[in-house]
Amino acid sequence: MCLMLFICNQVCCTYASEYAIGNTFGEYGEREGQFNYPVGIALDKNENIFITDWENDRIQVFDSTDKFIFAIPGKGSDVKLDGPVGIALDDEQNIFVVEQHNNRIHKISPNGQSMAIFGQPGDKPGEFNDPRGIALDKAGNIYVVDTGNNRVQVFSKDFELLFTFGREGMGDGEFYYPRGIALDNSGNIYVADTFHHQVQVFNENGQYLRRLGSSGSGPGEFNGTRYIAIDKDSNIYITDYRNGKVVQYDMDYEFVTEFGANEDGTSLMYPEGIVVDQRGYVYVADAGNNRIVKYCVSKIIINKKLGLDYLENKKWDEAIQSFQKALEEDPEDIDSRKAIAFAYFENGRIEQAIQQYDLILQKYPQNQNINFKLTEAHFALADKYAKEDNYREALSHYRIVLKNQPDYPEIKTKYYLAFIKYLYYSKFFKLGLIAILSIIVFFFIMARLSNKKRKGGKHYRHREPF
């Protein structure tokens, strides 16, 4: 039942068009896992989550299960940040973060050490005024939204200025306090033109192509475009600051859907950074609520909700089918796999439960909860085999329990009892026992015969003198 509660906490039945809240983490504060206005968000190649914690002047890093890993600056780190906002990672997992208050870009190693700093306050080429967004292209070139100067500056990976585009104004290619930036697979550049309530699209050379959106609160309309993400299929996701929503366009710039502005108390409040992982999960820095919200396609959530209902009603087969459908949509969904293992276990199909736990541990070998569940399953399966007098199989699973958790309750008693019974019922034990008894009988008979001979010999020798 604890597992069911865990899954319930992970699956919030909040729907918004084609997306639903899959999970949230974070709250207001200064401790690990807490935020004071999160802004930028990025993923590394292992889908660890990097979040700029603006007011706390740090970057926090979480794994793909939303567990805190470390912070920058951290213990032994020489990094000092002031107002970190936009964030991006290169192919070598180096971190590039925009320091708004220092008007500079900070390059940080994967282990949290300062590598390079460039930029200073000003409006000349290579200088910044209140910079915000950052993105990297395939060649490692660095694109920085120089917000206060209403322009984008592009640098090489060696921090040499390549070109700039944009200026203050109302026309095409002109900005009014731009924020976020993203690049698609073709190298096109997307800039969130915040106070024009739109996104402007440029080619790889910074030449204007088109606009997305307009001012308003309706579908596809904005009140303060903030940050941008583009998924592997070239769908475009834009955070809308004051409308509290995310707007999605497809690769042909057609409006698809929007989500986040709900009427049940789960709405986004001042959403900032956004990123999409390889599974299609959308992570949003919900700055006003000091949390990170993870959205996924609604049919995954629907299947999970059905699965939970079936679990609560002990309809194990139906629950397994529902969670398997969720896994078909997202094969990496650990929560669905946990639920399937739980249903198998409760239904007495312990071998299948063990298989599911093993699959989880292949990806998360240090997960203590799953290791305990796996040990529990092996113990239950050993008991099952022992009741069926299959002591050979029982012993093999008891040994696994002893190896994984030597102090598991009753394990030693049950192991030795099964071992004795295994010996007792073993064919070899019976043959051995017969052999031992035969040897004992043989020696007993031989001893009797020998004793008779000795007695007979003494009588003969007694009469010999006569």
Side-chain angles (χ1 to χ4, degrees), residues 47-80:
E47 297 198 344
N48 294 317
I49 311 160
F50 291 69
I51 302 160
T52 55
D53 191 3
W54 185 56
E55 290 282 11
N56 286 327
D57 294 321
R58 64 184 177 182
I59 299 167
Q60 294 199 69
V61 185
F62 301 80
D63 67 16
S64 58
T65 64
D66 313 330
K67 181 181 178 181
F68 175 84
I69 304 176
F70 65 94
I72 303 172
K75 186 176 181 180
S77 173
D78 59 352
V79 173
K80 291 185 179 180

